[in-house]
């Protein structure tokens, strides 16, 4: 089997076939990193708001993970390939890992808020690329993911506020 055997037929053109799946691979890497970081913080949450934060992060992790198959399958539907390994994720990711032994709960929320904002910016870039190539189906998926990410940012922001002005 060759790479040509993996290319699904698409009418988007060769440039779109190259560029959009590449953008989706990087986006997928970021989503996997954000998923694992969210689960890491969920598992290592502590403190007086443990239950609320623990449940919030679990809900957000589920939502983030739900994106993974759609991203990968979209890349395949339009003739591209997707991630193949943890090493491939590491080479593509733009969101940074957090391997700290301990992170304060409010710092966890702030970091995840920032990461979700970064993911939103990356998704907007993918959307612009899709618009360039007339890929309305991918753009439509990305629009929903942006809305979900903005909701996560909002919840993380409000949960992490310590006073009337945060």
């Amino acid at each position: 089997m060759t790479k040509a055997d993996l290319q699904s037929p698409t009418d988007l053109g060769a440039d779109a076939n190259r560029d959009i799946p590449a953008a989706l691979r990087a986006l997928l890497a970021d989503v996997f990193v954000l998923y694992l970081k969210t689960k890491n913080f969920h598992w290592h949450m502590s403190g007086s708001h443990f239950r609320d934060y623990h449940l919030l992060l679990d809900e957000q992790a589920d939502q983030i993970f739900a994106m993974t198959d759609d991203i990968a399958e979209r890349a395949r539907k339009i003739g591209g390939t997707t991630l193949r390994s943890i090493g491939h994720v590491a080479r593509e990711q733009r969101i940074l890992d957090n391997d700290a032994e301990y992170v304060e709960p409010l710092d966890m929320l702030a970091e995840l808020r920032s990461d979700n904002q970064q993911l939103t910016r990356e998704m907007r870039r993918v959307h612009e690329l899709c618009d360039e190539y007339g890929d309305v189906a991918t753009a439509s998926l990305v629009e929903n993911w942006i809305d979900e990410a903005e909701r996560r940012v909002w919840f993380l922001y409000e949960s992490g506020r310590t006073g009337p002005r945060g």
Side-chain angles (χ1 to χ4, degrees):
M1 187 172 264
T2 67
K3 183 178 178 183
D5 294 323
L6 292 175
Q7 289 185 322
S8 303
T10 181
D11 64 347
L12 292 173
D15 290 344
N17 176 263
R18 175 195 65 229
D19 296 345
I20 296 171
L24 290 173
R25 276 191 302 277
L27 182 63
L28 182 58
D30 287 338
V31 168
F32 273 125
V33 170
L34 182 58
Y35 167 74
L36 188 55
K37 185 186 284 188
T38 303
K39 286 304 278 192
N40 169 28
F41 289 170
H42 159 81
W43 294 322
H44 295 100
M45 184 55 68
S46 63
S48 60
H49 296 285
F50 167 79
R51 185 177 191 286
D52 290 337
Y53 295 166
H54 183 77
L55 294 175
L56 173 67
L57 297 185
D58 199 33
E59 177 185 297
Q60 290 194 356
D62 287 347
Q63 184 181 69
I64 293 163
F65 187 75
M67 296 169 57
T68 60
D69 200 46
D70 290 338
I71 296 169
E73 287 186 357
R74 186 64 199 155
R76 293 288 294 124
K77 284 179 199 174
I78 60 173
T81 59
T82 192
L83 297 173
R84 292 185 169 83
S85 67
I86 297 296
H88 199 173
V89 169
R91 289 187 300 276
E92 296 275 346
Q93 78 184 75
R94 295 158 298 197
I95 292 177
L96 300 177
D97 295 324
N98 184 324
D99 294 326
E101 229 11 75
Y102 177 79
V103 179
E104 288 288 335
L106 290 178
D107 292 340
M108 289 178 181
L109 300 182
E111 186 170 336
L112 290 174
R113 184 183 73 236
S114 176
D115 290 342
N116 275 280
Q117 288 172 316
Q118 180 181 349
L119 184 67
T120 301
R121 286 188 301 275
E122 299 300 344
M123 288 190 287
R124 288 186 200 288
R125 287 196 227 351
V126 172
H127 193 282
E128 289 170 10
L129 183 66
C130 292
D131 286 348
E132 243 179 77
Y133 289 117
D135 182 359
V136 295
T138 304
S140 177
L141 290 169
V142 171
E143 288 167 2
N144 290 323
W145 298 330
I146 289 170
D147 183 58
E148 290 174 356
E150 288 176 337
R151 184 174 193 268
R152 290 191 303 271
V153 168
W154 173 39
F155 274 57
L156 291 162
Y157 170 74
E158 292 297 343
S159 297
R161 287 175 52 142
T162 57
R165 295 185 155 229

